[in-house]
Amino acid sequence: MSVLTLASAPEEATALEGAEAHHARLAGELAGRVKLLLTAVDRDPSAAEKIHAGLVAFCDRSLLPHAAAEEAALYPVAHGMPEARLLIESLIGEHRCLTALVDALRAAPGPAGAAADARALQVLFEEHVAKENGLVLPLLAMTPEVSLAALLADMHHRLATDTGNRSAQEDQDIEEGQDMRERQTEETGGCGGVCGCGGAEETAVPELDVTEVPHALRHATVFGALDAVPAGTAMVLVAPHDLVPLLAQIEQRSPGAFAVEYLERGPETWRLRLSHR
């Protein structure tokens, strides 16, 4: 079934669909990282430290710059429309809440303490982009006097500039997270429960069940979770069907990065272990 997109021009409809797809990728990656953190806290606390650091780095690299670019490029135009003014003010307030939750994640003494804030961040962001997709973006796309395509181009330019400014800090975050992981491996004398050298059980591997993840977010959620898997560790992926097309996309996205082992092959549930080489 095709979905009707209301817009003042074809290019505006294309811009609207692109913005919604970008939101889906962000929400999916956030969901994957949060889910992996929540499972790793219970199953593999040492890996959870790296996942926690990666979640904060993702927020600094993608989530917060996205919010700032929206406020600079999209929100002023929408705020000028009487029917959207109060909504935009509430969305700006939600941006402040998102920032506060990221700050709480950053200040948390460990992944266990960050778990509740991580889940709250996921829920708020998903509700936030649902309002933007359902109300703000269609309004801008349907208004003849407004070019959503031009506004999004401005927003993407701001994001690209911000990404360049943040690259050094992101590298530092990743390096610090890796150092923490290596120190913990040396202290425990193990490998984090992946190779079995320390006698760790299979249940120590974080598990991502995508059965209840909305289809539009499913692949992005898996990609986000895989981005959070530290090198030398693994993740178990649970799905209601075989994932051959998704596995092909994973290989295309990260050639040779993951080894795949089927733990269960249906008929109702498929379980795959993806080991990050």
Side-chain angles (χ1 to χ4, degrees), residues 134-208:
L135 298 171
V136 179
L137 293 175
L139 176 62
L140 293 172
M142 290 187 295
T143 303
E145 297 80 14
V146 174
S147 172
L148 177 61
L151 294 176
L152 292 174
D154 180 26
M155 179 178 164
H156 293 156
H157 174 73
R158 294 172 186 271
L159 282 170
T161 301
D162 190 85
T163 298
N165 292 337
R166 287 177 178 269
S167 60
Q169 181 61 46
E170 178 187 345
D171 291 343
Q172 181 179 347
D173 290 339
I174 294 174
E175 182 178 352
E176 290 176 353
Q178 181 62 31
D179 289 344
M180 180 184 299
R181 172 67 177 164
E182 292 173 353
R183 288 196 302 272
Q184 290 171 334
T185 301
E186 292 172 358
E187 292 170 359
T188 59
C191 65
V194 175
C195 69
C197 63
E201 298 179 356
E202 173 68 29
T203 55
V205 179
E207 188 171 286
L208 176 66

Side-chain angles (χ1 to χ4, degrees), residues 40-73:
V41 165
D42 295 329
R43 297 168 181 262
D44 188 356
S46 60
E49 294 285 352
K50 173 61 177 174
I51 296 168
H52 177 205
L55 174 58
V56 174
F58 164 72
C59 292
D60 287 337
R61 178 184 72 245
S62 299
L63 224 61
L64 297 183
H66 176 82
E70 285 182 332
E71 287 193 31

